[in-house]
Amino acid sequence: MTDHRETLRSSWDRTRTHLTAARTHLIGISDIDLSAAQEYLDHNELGLALDCLVDLGCDLDLPLLFWQDLDRAAREMRLYSTDLHTPHLTSADFCRRHLAAACENE
């Protein structure tokens, strides 16, 4: 059981690192309030932090690295659905679509 906890804690640390890296791309942008995302990170609500960052970044022209960081976090949390045609589009799926679009533009 101790090994499982250590593995889980390591996964959380990697996820938090990816989310924090994505968050840094939003610092200094006017009209962006990062307090909710930071609070989620502080309380280990990593899925909510991902949702918040995706929502904040969806209408901005952010670098590919922002979406790659979110993609890494989503993969670490194993959030990608297996069916992209489901009626409920998750933040992770939205992130994957943004990432694909950004890659096409580069």
Side-chain angles (χ1 to χ4, degrees):
M1 184 123 125
T2 303
D3 288 339
H4 177 70
R5 286 183 183 176
E6 288 176 16
T7 300
L8 184 58
R9 203 160 283 174
S10 293
S11 178
W12 288 343
D13 289 343
R14 286 188 301 273
T15 301
R16 189 176 297 102
T17 298
H18 299 312
L19 293 170
T20 300
R23 184 186 174 280
T24 62
H25 292 282
L26 299 171
I27 294 173
I29 298 176
S30 61
D31 299 326
I32 297 289
D33 181 7
L34 295 172
S35 61
Q38 187 60 52
E39 187 167 337
Y40 292 138
L41 288 169
D42 291 344
H43 292 94
N44 205 42
E45 296 287 349
L46 304 178
L48 292 173
L50 175 75
D51 291 344
C52 185
L53 292 169
V54 168
D55 286 346
L56 289 171
C58 69
D59 292 328
L60 301 173
D61 186 24
L62 294 168
L64 176 60
L65 191 53
F66 172 80
W67 295 105
Q68 288 173 328
D69 289 329
L70 292 181
D71 175 65
R72 289 181 191 109
R75 289 178 190 281
E76 185 67 40
M77 291 187 283
R78 297 183 178 137
L79 294 180
Y80 285 122
S81 68
T82 56
D83 183 8
L84 283 178
H85 304 291
T86 57
H88 176 69
L89 180 63
T90 67
S91 290
D93 293 327
F94 188 75
C95 175
R96 182 169 42 187
R97 289 181 182 184
H98 253 281
L99 183 62
C103 287
E104 287 177 9
N105 292 334
E106 293 230 336

